Amino acid sequence: MAVDGPLAFHVSGLDCAEEISLLKAAVGPLVGGADRLAFDVLHAKMTVLGGGLPADAIMKAVASTGMTARPWMDTSIAEPDSRRRNQAILAGFSALMTALGALGGALNLGVVPSRVAFGLAVGAGLALVLPKAWLALRRLRPDMNLLMTVAVAGALFLGDWFEAASVSFLFALALALESWSTGRARHAIAALMDLAPPTARVRSPEGEEHEILPQDVPVGAVFLVHPGERIPLDGRVLSGQGSVNQAPITGESLPVPKAEGDEIFAGTINGESVLTARNLKPAQDTTLAHIARTVEAARSNRSDTERWVDRFAAIYTPIVLGLAILLVLVPPLLLGGDWETWIYRSLTLLVIACPCALVISTPVTVVAAMATAARQGVLVKGGVFLELPARLTVVAFDKTGTLTEGRPRVETIVPLNGHTALEVLSRAAALEARSSHPIAHGILAHASAQGLTPIPTETLETLPGRGARGHMEGRPFWLGSLRMLTENGQDTPALRAVAEDMIAKGQSVVIIGNDAHVCGMIGLKDGVRPHAAEAVVALRQAGIAQVVMLTGDTRETAERVAASLGLDAVYADLLPEGKVQALEALTSRYGRVAMVGDGVNDAPAMAKATLGIAMGAAGTDVAIETADVALMSDDLGKLSWLVRHSRRMRGILWQNIALALGVKGVFTLLAVFGETTLWGAIAADTGASLVVVFNGLRMLLPMGTRSFLSSKLSPRHIRP
């Protein structure tokens, strides 16, 4: 049966990059190529992109790999936990049998009891490995499961039962540690996203209160939140006044005051008073739900380092297998070496060669880093976008709503040519009625405060980055900046002098005119964000070479703001396409450039930038969907935090790679020269696995924390 749209499957046995390679080889040709497959190892999830695909045939192809697939359901998330418990039980049993076998040998209880115990240890240790090893052999695609099975079989063949049991136990322990680490990272995400309460307290039209599931609360319904409770839905406050802890969504360190008319978000925590609010969105469309979906999708958007490790592992295993074959054949055949000695050394090389710990440490590190970023109110669309801030050289800001507060207020109205101030304001409000720009909001708010109702427009056209045109009372009118004044051929020295006087006072000028004359001008002023200057300094301290502004505002106004913030350059009077061209020039000159804007008006520029960052995205679905990174609050200080967080993650990734490869390199040489044993090699490999896993999980801790073990990773590090 073919299904339209993407298909998701839970794949039992999907633990590592080795299984991903098998699934790509088996399922890829069926669905039109391996690029149509996406994998989430943390949840043992495979997604087939595209529509019209046969689900039954896909599951049959997965079965040919020795794994099993079934359609994905939310309950599938629990299955990796069950597999993790099974791995822990098998590793524990293998350890017990190895210890009993060794004890039996020490007490001279006989060969048979010891070998029975060692045999049980081998069976438990390889129980989950043998099916995959057989499949790898059948397909002639050697992987770590086959390498380990050959090593254990070789040890048994040579009569080294204790070493065979030790290798099996230590390998099972390594698998259990890897499974535990993925589980820890997975639960960090789950705990972060599982913030909304299970019920909502709804008030009926008759005034009765009852608790129902948030997903059953209709839009427009009234709900109540008592002090200390989590808010179940996105809403607008109808009554009550207090503070709300928005850290779970925005990462803000201080509670935010809320009163009538303010928005509240699902998953945040009410403070000291009862709030009554009206539901604005269905439960599946809240800001929290958007964050959850974004983080879920982000796990398949892997970082460059993750992809490099996967490519490395794909060629590494066959090369090591070839070296092991040469090691077992060349010395005995050409140099007269002892077969048993060189077989043993070859088996030791196979043991140390297992690459899975190296492969699994990268996604664990990246997912832990994404969880920590989300706790800070920084929503990242995937590992590839979490690595980019570490390599940025330029950060470009939009002005209005980004470096400034985004709440321009009308300060001056200059009526001209016989018009009154109220007429100028009324016409401007009519032409700005459909605009989402902060300046439009300022004009509309001022008109509303004056009790004005905008004049009805017969036609209205918004001109992005320029202004608007429309017909009122049978006449065409236009609204815009000095650029529009020039384009309409109505620029005169007297009018420009009026506009430049307003600009000299730090105001943004909006001009209103018709086909005969200019009706008037409105001057608005938007305050710089309180900590914007400190944020610019912090970016430079984080290593950003250039901090610049791209704005459609006049150069005079832009330069006044830039001077107060200490920016390196200003690009003013830009239309949307001009911002794109400026970004292209910056990228050509400096390399990687981030564009920080509101996620809506600056969408073309953010799309062109190396990294698009949306400010103040809480409650703004479009910003969350369009940007590579969404800062849920308006805190510009999060940008320098993101740069440092990204560099910390890259540092840990490469520490893990260097450690894992270094240990393997040392023990490869020791194996060749016969200076190590089978169990010693795998003990070193397991130890390295343990170190890189815990090192990767350090990304769950606050920046500056050095010791993972000292923190014990308690729930307070996971839940905001």
Side-chain angles (χ1 to χ4, degrees):
M1 176 181 173
V3 178
D4 291 331
L7 290 173
F9 298 90
H10 173 260
V11 181
S12 296
L14 175 54
D15 301 316
C16 196
E18 302 285 355
E19 287 81 30
I20 290 177
S21 298
L22 289 174
L23 290 168
K24 284 182 176 180
V27 182
L30 180 65
V31 300
D35 58 343
R36 298 187 68 181
L37 298 173
F39 298 92
D40 178 4
V41 176
L42 296 182
H43 287 112
K45 183 178 182 180
M46 178 182 74
T47 303
V48 183
L49 308 176
L53 300 170
D56 292 342
I58 291 171
M59 289 188 285
K60 185 176 180 181
V62 172
S64 71
T65 67
M67 294 174 269
T68 57
R70 61 178 178 78
W72 178 265
M73 297 181 292
D74 290 341
T75 54
S76 300
I77 293 175
E79 295 208 9
D81 292 333
S82 175
R83 183 176 179 82
R84 181 161 57 92
R85 285 192 296 270
N86 291 339
Q87 285 178 321
I89 291 171
L90 288 170
F93 182 77
S94 182
L96 177 62
M97 291 299 102
T98 301
L100 289 177
L103 181 62
L107 297 177
N108 294 318
L109 298 180
V111 174
V112 174
S114 293
R115 289 195 172 182
V116 168
F118 288 144
L120 291 173
V122 169
L126 298 185
L128 299 177
V129 175
L130 287 173
K132 296 178 183 179
W134 167 245
L135 181 66
L137 180 62
R138 198 176 70 191
R139 288 178 171 269
L140 298 178
R141 294 175 62 94
D143 62 9
M144 60 98 179
N145 301 292
L146 180 59
L147 297 185
M148 205 55 56
T149 302
V150 170
V152 172
L156 292 174
F157 173 76
L158 295 175
D160 294 321
W161 286 72
F162 171 70
E163 292 206 77
S166 300
V167 167
S168 300
F169 153 62
L170 290 170
F171 186 54
L173 177 62
L175 293 178
L177 286 172
E178 291 161 10
S179 183
W180 174 85
S181 68
T182 59
R184 172 56 72 186
R186 184 173 65 251
H187 287 305
I189 291 288
L192 181 70
M193 295 304 120
D194 187 23
L195 295 174
T199 60
R201 187 179 289 106
V202 177
R203 177 183 291 170
S204 68
E206 295 77 24
E208 298 178 355
E209 295 181 15
H210 51 281
E211 293 190 4
I212 61 175
L213 298 174
Q215 55 265 36
D216 294 334
V217 179
V219 174
V222 176
F223 64 92
L224 289 82
V225 188
H226 287 183
E229 292 182 343
R230 286 192 180 272
I231 295 170
L233 297 156
D234 286 5
R236 191 175 302 281
V237 177
L238 298 176
S239 65
Q241 186 171 348
S243 60
V244 172
N245 178 1
Q246 295 189 161
I249 298 294
T250 66
E252 293 168 287
S253 57
L254 297 176
V256 178
K258 298 291 181 180
E260 182 179 346
D262 291 333
E263 282 193 50
I264 54 178
F265 304 115
T268 57
I269 305 166
N270 188 23
E272 66 278 2
S273 64
V274 176
L275 295 180
T276 303
R278 188 176 304 281
N279 183 26
L280 296 179
K281 301 175 182 177
Q284 64 270 22
D285 289 333
T286 64
T287 298
L288 179 63
H290 277 279
I291 294 173
R293 285 195 292 271
T294 300
V295 174
E296 180 70 27
R299 284 197 289 269
S300 62
N301 203 351
R302 298 182 303 156
S303 71
D304 291 340
T305 304
E306 286 182 275
R307 288 194 286 264
W308 180 88
V309 168
D310 286 350
R311 291 194 300 269
F312 176 83
I315 62 174
Y316 169 79
T317 302
I319 288 175
V320 170
L321 184 59
L323 289 175
I325 293 172
L326 291 176
L327 194 63
V328 79
L329 294 177
V330 172
L333 293 177
L334 300 182
L335 304 175
D338 178 67
W339 280 100
E340 183 173 333
T341 297
W342 288 101
I343 289 175
Y344 186 88
R345 293 183 184 182
S346 176
L347 296 175
T348 305
L349 178 61
L350 293 181
V351 167
I352 196 60
C354 173
C356 203
L358 171 67
V359 173
I360 202 65
S361 69
T362 48
V364 166
T365 303
V366 171
V367 171
M370 286 197 296
T372 298
R375 288 204 308 271
Q376 291 288 327
V378 181
L379 185 60
V380 185
K381 295 294 185 69
V384 63
F385 301 118
L386 194 52
E387 275 198 302
L388 283 175
R391 295 178 282 176
L392 291 175
T393 53
V394 178
V395 174
F397 288 95
D398 175 48
K399 181 180 78 70
T400 305
T402 304
L403 290 172
T404 63
E405 293 180 324
R407 293 189 294 272
R409 296 174 177 85
V410 174
E411 290 202 346
T412 306
I413 301 178
V414 180
L416 300 167
N417 295 308
H419 293 278
T420 67
L422 290 180
E423 285 176 337
V424 172
L425 181 61
S426 179
R427 283 174 169 75
L431 292 170
E432 294 281 33
R434 296 181 187 173
S435 175
S436 61
H437 196 279
I439 285 179
H441 293 166
I443 290 174
L444 291 168
H446 192 70
S448 177
Q450 299 296 316
L452 289 179
T453 301
I455 299 171
T457 55
E458 291 129 32
T459 64
L460 182 58
E461 178 188 7
T462 299
L463 307 173
R466 297 171 62 216
R469 295 184 187 276
H471 281 74
M472 289 174 279
E473 300 172 337
R475 294 191 64 182
F477 286 84
W478 58 268
L479 173 147
S481 64
L482 281 170
R483 184 189 299 111
M484 282 281 283
L485 185 69
T486 303
E487 288 178 2
N488 291 328
Q490 294 175 311
D491 193 0
T492 67
L495 290 174
R496 184 164 287 273
V498 173
E500 289 178 350
D501 179 63
M502 297 166 70
I503 290 170
K505 297 175 182 177
Q507 298 177 11
S508 296
V509 178
V510 175
I511 306 172
I512 304 93
N514 55 34
D515 54 352
H517 57 245
V518 173
C519 303
M521 301 184 189
I522 299 176
L524 301 94
K525 199 165 187 178
D526 186 12
V528 174
R529 291 192 182 278
H531 301 291
E534 292 91 329
V536 172
V537 172
L539 280 171
R540 289 204 179 92
Q541 291 174 342
I544 301 300
Q546 292 279 313
V547 184
V548 305
M549 179 198 295
L550 309 180
T551 179
D553 213 338
T554 61
R555 174 161 294 279
E556 293 85 351
T557 300
E559 286 183 344
R560 287 174 66 93
V561 174
S564 69
L565 298 177
L567 301 184
D568 296 300
V570 175
Y571 300 80
D573 295 310
L574 297 177
L575 295 173
E577 56 268 27
K579 289 186 179 182
V580 171
Q581 292 168 3
L583 278 168
E584 290 175 339
L586 286 168
T587 303
S588 174
R589 182 176 179 182
Y590 294 107
R592 296 178 176 86
V593 180
M595 176 67 196
V596 186
D598 62 10
V600 182
N601 297 327
D602 299 304
M606 289 197 295
K608 190 66 178 178
T610 309
L611 186 70
I613 303 175
M615 282 283 296
T620 310
D621 299 342
V622 175
I624 295 176
E625 297 297 332
T626 57
D628 303 323
V629 176
L631 306 183
M632 305 307 292
S633 70
D634 291 322
D635 184 0
L636 289 169
K638 297 293 184 184
L639 292 168
S640 59
W641 179 91
L642 176 62
V643 172
R644 295 194 308 273
H645 185 66
S646 173
R647 288 180 179 160
R648 182 188 182 208
M649 184 192 77
R650 280 178 56 82
I652 288 177
L653 285 172
W654 287 104
Q655 286 169 18
N656 288 344
I657 290 170
L659 177 64
L661 294 181
V663 168
K664 292 180 186 301
V666 168
F667 273 81
T668 295
L669 292 175
L670 292 175
V672 171
F673 292 103
E675 297 299 325
T676 187
T677 60
L678 278 174
W679 70 267
I682 198 169
D685 188 61
T686 303
S689 300
L690 185 64
V691 171
V692 299
V693 162
F694 277 110
N695 197 38
L697 288 175
R698 280 199 302 125
M699 290 304 302
L700 288 173
L701 304 180
M703 202 174 300
T705 303
R706 295 185 177 274
S707 172
F708 180 90
L709 292 174
S710 64
S711 72
K712 298 184 176 64
L713 197 64
S714 66
R716 69 177 180 276
H717 293 117
I718 298 174
R719 279 190 179 274

